[in-house]
């Protein structure tokens, strides 16, 4: 079932002499739920930024489905089916939850100025189906009662849900989740974990950066550990948990 | 449209402003009123264009005067006119409507050319680049005398537009001793406002308008969702610039001559004040803001003369700017979203 979906070769990025990412070779498999963990400053988010095109690497290459996306712009990478979320949630504050989702789901031709001036009936139909889709996503995420609220009125956890929903409505092949559980209460954490597992079961490849180790170990099929930009461990959750290097660098000695 | 407090307040304030024109002027009231309304229409149109940039898309454009200038210069140079030191006459030219369309498209194109390198900049950096570009435009126009007439400007172009003046304006004007040429320009600017607002209302509630607002809120998120934020911003820049170009043409016809000094940064700041007054992000707000603004600009010296009995004309002229400043300060304190802006979408966050 596992086959290579994305490949990273000799990827290097530093900020003013500080090595942020330095990875020789890393392959992500299709349909796998992979978590990336590591101490603060290990380069996890930078790795996401490089993959999703938000930062430019110093050297190295990234292949997605055998296509070289190294120098691609973020929106072009997203159009290939790889959608990311952000560590600090980026919802559209002064738009309603419904608008947030409908904008995310809308395709390029629907968004065009020409279409919006002429407004063919088929655009109306498309918008209606988009609204239905958005309502369905809201229902799945249990935020349908917030439909007409401005996004900035949501709680931190709800914003995380909305960002997740915005990614889902794009029907991605790959989801890059940057700390989807940060600042989320325990009950909502459970809900979000269930959603992520469900997405994974639906065939979406998920890469997740997360500090909640318990959650990571529970749902991940594979765990990658970064420290100071380099890969120090890669394997099944159980293997990683017992890895001496990982315990030293991240998990801490006397935890268990 | 739902009748709400802010609409009532806006209509009352606008009516009161117009009433002040009658109250403060013993004679020539209608003439003054139509002068004010013509300026209000032209500047209101420009403010609507600026609102596309800032209100809908969040682009800090401080070079609005240059878009108005490009529209005006291109249009006037294409129709019969006289320009330069010797008043060199160009008798042949395009029909007005064709020249106008080219003028508007040129303003849009100028927006695109300026936007291509600059639009990737964020917030205040874009403001710096646009204000500099506007000054470069003005100085270029001033110094390219052979093309643009330089400091001597362009004159004798009004006929191209005035020959289309319909009869009902003549009959109206003859009753009240008014300036027919100005009434025609004012009439056209208000008609333009009507159609531009119709277009923008349609666009604002469309997927395209939604995409612009998303860009305004968070560009990175827009890109992460597979949308080309730069292209959306460029489209917005071009649309707003085109509207400004149209306003620039009317401004030139209202004066009857075109001078480079018209396009100093002050013009941009007037348009900004009007937009803030009317409500950033509100489509029709700038129209009301513009009427109130122009009544203040045109009538405060009369008001001040009543208060400061011994002041001379020059001193009184300064009072209007104090009043405009005061008004904006009061507005920012009590209603930072402007007359018709939505409180929930407050766009001028004073952080």
């Amino acid at each position: 079932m596992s086959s290579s979906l994305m490949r990273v070769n000799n990827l290097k990025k530093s900020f003013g002499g500080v090595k942020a990412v330095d990875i020789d070779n890393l392959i992500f498999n299709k349909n796998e739920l992979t978590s990336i963990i590591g101490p603060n400053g290990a380069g996890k988010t930078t790795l996401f930024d490089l993959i999703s095109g938000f930062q430019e690497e110093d050297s190295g290459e990234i292949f997605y489905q055998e296509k070289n996306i190294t120098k691609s712009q973020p929106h072009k990478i997203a159009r290939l089916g790889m959608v990311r979320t952000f560590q600090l949630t980026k919802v559209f504050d002064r738009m309603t939850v419904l608008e947030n989702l409908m904008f995310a789901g809308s395709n390029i031709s629907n968004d065009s100025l020409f279409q919006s001036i002429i407004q063919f009936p088929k655009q109306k139909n498309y918008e209606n189906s988009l609204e239905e889709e958005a309502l369905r996503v809201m229902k799945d995420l249990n935020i349908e009662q917030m439909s007409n609220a401005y996004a900035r009125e949501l709680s931190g956890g709800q914003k995380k849900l909305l960002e997740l929903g915005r990614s889902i409505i794009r029907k991605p092949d790959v989801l890059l989740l940057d700390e989807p559980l940060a600042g989320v209460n325990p009950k909502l954490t459970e809900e979000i974990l269930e959603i992520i597992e469900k997405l994974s079961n639906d065939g979406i490849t998920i890469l997740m950066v997360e500090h909640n180790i318990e959650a990571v170990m529970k749902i991940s099929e594979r765990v990658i550990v970064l420290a100071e930009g380099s890969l120090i461990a890669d394997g099944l959750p159980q293997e990683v948990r017992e890895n001496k290097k990982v315990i030293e660098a991240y998990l801490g000695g006397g935890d268990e | 449209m739902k009748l709400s407090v802010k609409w009532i307040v806006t209509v009352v304030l606008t009516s009161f402003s117009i009433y002040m024109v009658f109250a403060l002027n013993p004679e020539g009231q209608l003439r003054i009123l139509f002068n004010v309304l013509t300026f209000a229409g032209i500047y209101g149109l420009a403010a609507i264009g600026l609102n596309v940039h800032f209100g809908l898309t969040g682009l800090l454009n401080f070079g609005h005067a240059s878009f108005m200038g490009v529209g005006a210069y291109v249009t006037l140079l294409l129709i019969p006119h006289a320009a330069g030191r010797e008043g060199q006459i160009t008798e042949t030219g395009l029909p007005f409507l064709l020249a106008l369309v080219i003028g508007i498209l040129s303003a849009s194109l100028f927006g695109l050319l300026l936007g291509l390198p600059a639009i990737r900049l964020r917030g205040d950096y874009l403001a710096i680049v646009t204000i500099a570009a506007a000054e470069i435009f003005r100085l270029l126009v001033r110094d390219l005398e052979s093309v643009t007439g330089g400091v001597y400007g362009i004159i004798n172009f009004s006929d191209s537009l005035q020959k289309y003046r319909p009869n009902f304006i003549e009959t109206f004007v003859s009753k009240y001793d008014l300036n027919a040429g100005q009434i025609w320009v004012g009439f056209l600017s208000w008609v333009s406002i009507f159609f531009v607002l119709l277009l923008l209302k349609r666009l604002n509630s469309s997927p395209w308008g939604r995409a612009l607002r998303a860009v305004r809120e968070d560009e990175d998120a827009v890109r992460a969702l597979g949308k080309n934020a730069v292209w959306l911003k460029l489209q917005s820049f071009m649309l707003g610039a085109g509207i400004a170009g149209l306003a620039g043409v009317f401004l030139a016809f209202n004066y009857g001559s075109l001078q480079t000094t018209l396009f100093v940064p002050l013009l941009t700041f007037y348009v900004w004040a009007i937009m803030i007054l009317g409500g950033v992000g509100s489509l029709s707000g700038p129209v009301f803001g513009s009427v109130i603004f122009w009544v203040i600009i045109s009538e405060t010296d009369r008001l001040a003369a009543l208060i400061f009995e011994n002041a001379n004309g020059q001193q009184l002229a300064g009072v209007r700017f104090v009043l405009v400043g005061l008004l904006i300060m009061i507005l920012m304190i009590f209603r930072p979203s402007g007359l018709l802006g939505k409180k929930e979408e407050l766009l001028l966050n004073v952080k």
Side-chain angles (χ1 to χ4, degrees):
Chain A
M1 152 181 153
S2 309
S3 60
S4 157
L5 182 74
M6 185 159 46
R7 199 148 49 81
V8 167
N9 287 342
N10 294 315
L11 197 64
K12 284 190 178 58
K13 173 83 186 173
S14 15
F15 298 109
V18 180
K19 208 165 60 178
V21 167
D22 183 1
I23 296 174
D24 292 339
N25 200 343
L26 186 57
I27 291 172
F28 295 104
N29 300 316
K30 208 169 177 167
N31 290 348
E32 211 167 43
L33 202 170
T34 309
S35 288
I36 302 165
I37 61 172
N40 288 318
K44 307 181 295 290
T45 295
T46 308
L47 177 63
F48 267 20
D49 281 350
L50 295 176
I51 292 175
S52 58
F54 277 85
Q55 287 191 41
E56 205 173 305
E57 45 285 296
D58 299 335
S59 64
E61 282 167 324
I62 304 164
F63 292 90
Y64 173 69
Q65 291 179 329
E66 298 309 315
K67 188 175 159 25
N68 190 337
I69 57 163
T70 314
K71 300 283 178 209
S72 290
Q73 289 172 299
H75 66 272
K76 293 202 173 133
I77 294 173
R79 281 175 198 171
L80 295 175
M82 183 151 63
V83 178
R84 73 168 291 183
T85 66
F86 294 89
Q87 190 175 356
L88 302 168
T89 39
K90 290 180 183 288
V91 296
F92 304 124
D93 275 336
R94 287 164 298 192
M95 290 165 67
T96 65
V97 170
L98 181 67
E99 283 179 317
N100 265 267
L101 289 170
M102 284 177 70
F103 166 71
S106 173
N107 66 24
I108 307 164
S109 85
N110 188 51
D111 280 341
S112 80
L113 179 54
F114 176 72
Q115 286 270 5
S116 292
I117 291 175
I118 309 287
Q119 297 192 0
F120 291 116
K122 73 165 192 229
Q123 192 186 29
K124 267 266 160 335
N125 294 338
Y126 182 82
E127 282 284 298
N128 287 340
S129 67
L130 211 54
E131 189 172 343
E132 271 169 38
E133 185 77 31
L135 289 173
R136 197 156 47 238
V137 169
M138 278 187 266
K139 208 163 246 157
D140 286 347
L141 298 178
N142 215 358
I143 50 172
E144 75 262 39
Q145 71 284 0
M146 308 297 291
S147 171
N148 289 315
Y150 281 91
R152 67 159 173 198
E153 294 165 3
L154 303 184
S155 71
Q158 286 170 326
K159 283 184 186 172
K160 288 273 177 200
L161 280 176
L162 175 56
E163 222 190 6
L164 198 58
R166 258 182 1 198
S167 313
I168 295 170
I169 203 171
R170 290 201 61 78
K171 302 192 172 62
D173 301 320
V174 185
L175 254 179
L176 309 184
L177 302 175
D178 199 349
E179 300 201 20
L181 305 175
V184 173
N185 70 47
K187 184 170 166 287
L188 197 53
T189 297
E190 284 305 310
E191 279 179 39
I192 292 181
L193 282 179
E194 268 173 40
I195 292 164
I196 293 173
E197 277 191 297
K198 185 172 170 294
L199 292 172
S200 176
N201 291 335
D202 289 347
I204 297 176
T205 308
I206 293 173
L207 310 188
M208 174 168 87
V209 167
E210 184 48 59
H211 279 297
N212 184 337
I213 295 301
E214 215 181 306
V216 163
M217 293 300 172
K218 197 172 123 196
I219 68 166
S220 305
E221 293 165 296
R222 175 186 176 193
V223 176
I224 289 168
V225 188
L226 293 184
E228 290 167 13
S230 306
L231 207 71
I232 61 168
D234 179 359
L236 296 170
Q238 202 50 37
E239 293 167 15
V240 168
R241 193 191 276 271
E242 285 156 9
N243 186 315
K244 274 217 173 60
K245 272 207 283 193
V246 177
I247 294 170
E248 236 169 73
Y250 182 49
L251 296 177
D255 241 17
E256 311 190 35
Chain B
M1 198 169 293
K2 208 182 79 203
L3 198 64
S4 58
V5 176
K6 68 181 177 188
W7 273 97
I8 295 169
V9 170
T10 303
V11 171
V12 167
L13 274 178
T14 311
S15 314
F16 177 73
S17 303
I18 290 172
Y19 165 74
M20 286 309 280
V21 174
F22 288 92
L24 289 168
N25 293 289
E27 55 191 28
Q29 296 156 329
L30 269 186
R31 201 185 178 88
I32 293 169
L33 177 67
F34 280 108
N35 182 45
V36 165
L37 286 181
T38 302
F39 274 104
I42 295 166
Y43 277 68
L45 191 58
I48 290 168
L50 184 63
N51 214 355
V52 173
H53 292 159
F54 185 65
L56 300 189
T57 330
L59 299 168
L60 266 177
N61 163 23
F62 276 99
H64 215 51
S66 65
F67 299 136
M68 297 172 75
V70 171
Y73 269 99
V74 171
T75 304
L76 297 198
L77 289 173
L78 288 176
I79 58 179
H81 65 272
R85 196 190 309 252
E86 313 290 334
Q88 196 189 358
I89 297 168
T90 311
E91 277 189 39
T92 54
L94 300 174
F96 174 74
L97 216 54
L98 183 60
L100 179 70
V101 169
I102 296 175
I104 292 171
L105 290 179
S106 305
S108 284
L109 191 68
F110 183 70
L112 178 67
L113 288 179
L114 176 58
L116 275 175
I119 210 113
R120 281 158 227 268
L121 301 171
R122 273 166 201 239
D124 26 1
Y125 293 101
L126 181 64
I128 294 166
V129 170
T130 46
I131 199 172
E135 280 297 274
I136 290 170
F137 163 78
R138 184 174 67 84
L139 297 175
L140 268 179
V141 166
R142 193 193 66 184
D143 293 341
L144 284 172
E145 197 181 311
S146 57
V147 186
T148 62
V151 289
Y152 304 97
I154 305 176
I155 50 170
N156 288 348
F157 52 78
S158 283
D159 274 354
S160 299
L161 178 64
Q162 297 298 349
K163 71 181 177 202
Y164 297 115
R165 193 166 66 214
N167 281 330
F168 72 86
I169 286 188
E170 308 293 343
T171 34
F172 178 72
V173 161
S174 58
K175 269 191 244 171
Y176 301 101
D177 178 35
L178 300 168
N179 177 346
Q182 183 175 48
I183 303 271
W184 179 222
V185 174
F187 177 79
L188 287 177
S189 66
W190 281 95
V191 169
S192 305
I193 284 182
F194 178 75
F195 285 108
V196 168
L197 281 183
L198 273 189
L199 173 71
L200 288 183
K201 199 165 159 35
R202 191 179 176 82
L203 284 176
N204 195 31
S205 58
S206 77
W208 186 75
R210 184 175 60 204
L212 290 195
R213 272 177 286 141
V215 169
R216 179 189 80 193
E217 296 303 307
D218 198 308
E219 227 182 292
D220 280 344
V222 169
R223 294 151 85 201
L225 293 168
K227 322 280 181 131
N228 189 341
V230 170
W231 177 228
L232 282 165
K233 288 201 287 185
L234 280 174
Q235 288 176 326
S236 157
F237 218 49
M238 287 163 70
L239 180 65
I243 296 170
L246 177 62
V249 175
F250 288 139
L251 192 61
F253 276 98
N254 188 32
Y255 282 116
S257 71
L258 187 59
Q259 308 289 338
T260 53
T261 48
L262 205 55
F263 302 104
V264 291
L266 184 66
L267 174 60
T268 301
F269 294 127
Y270 270 18
V271 177
W272 266 90
I274 287 168
M275 179 184 66
I276 293 169
L277 200 60
V280 176
S282 137
L283 289 183
S284 43
V287 179
F288 296 95
S290 191
V291 174
I292 295 170
F293 178 86
W294 275 102
V295 170
I296 292 171
I297 289 289
S298 128
E299 299 306 300
T300 38
D301 33 357
R302 229 166 286 276
L303 185 66
L306 296 177
I307 305 168
F308 309 104
E309 283 170 8
N310 298 323
N312 64 32
Q314 206 177 1
Q315 287 167 325
L316 290 177
V319 172
R320 69 178 73 163
F321 297 108
V322 175
L323 276 186
V324 170
L326 207 61
L327 188 75
I328 289 181
M329 274 155 70
I330 293 171
L331 196 74
M332 285 295 103
I333 293 167
F334 292 105
R335 200 172 158 78
S337 48
L339 290 174
L340 289 179
K342 276 194 202 166
K343 236 188 266 152
E344 301 80 13
E345 291 189 23
L346 182 61
L347 292 159
L348 278 172
N349 312 15
V350 189
K351 273 186 202 158

